[in-house]
């Protein structure tokens, strides 16, 4: 895993949903996904509505949002 700052420290604005392309600004189910690959020192960040992401995940996988 690349040695980078936490997404909570580097993401101050929400990203558009990578599934529907719409704003996530007022969404209660916003999720931030970090993608990395071994041997590559960079990461790709994607925002999504959890409901939309759950509609695309394989059976047995799901995203839950817990408010802190």
């Amino acid at each position: 895993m690349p040695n980078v700052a936490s997404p909570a420290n580097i993401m101050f604005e929400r990203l558009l949903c990578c599934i529907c392309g719409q704003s996530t600004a007022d969404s209660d189910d916003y999720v931030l996904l970090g993608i990395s690959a071994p041997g590559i020192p960079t990461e790709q960040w994607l925002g999504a509505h959890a409901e939309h992401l759950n509609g695309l995940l394989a059976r047995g996988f799901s995203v839950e949002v817990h408010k802190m």
Side-chain angles (χ1 to χ4, degrees), residues 16-28:
L16 296 177
C17 178
C18 66
I19 309 299
C20 72
Q22 299 299 310
S23 173
T24 59
D26 296 326
S27 299
D28 289 334

Side-chain angles (χ1 to χ4, degrees), residues 45-68:
W45 295 99
L46 302 170
H49 296 104
E51 180 181 4
H52 296 163
L53 186 58
N54 282 331
L56 297 175
L57 293 175
R59 184 177 298 173
F61 291 91
S62 66
V63 174
E64 292 182 20
V65 177
H66 300 272
K67 292 186 179 187
M68 304 301 245

Side-chain angles (χ1 to χ4, degrees), residues 13-48:
E13 293 183 29
R14 289 184 175 199
L15 301 173
L16 296 177
C17 178
C18 66
I19 309 299
C20 72
Q22 299 299 310
S23 173
T24 59
D26 296 326
S27 299
D28 289 334
D29 70 338
Y30 177 72
V31 293
L32 182 63
L33 307 167
I35 302 171
S36 64
I40 300 174
T42 58
E43 289 185 323
Q44 174 69 54
W45 295 99
L46 302 170

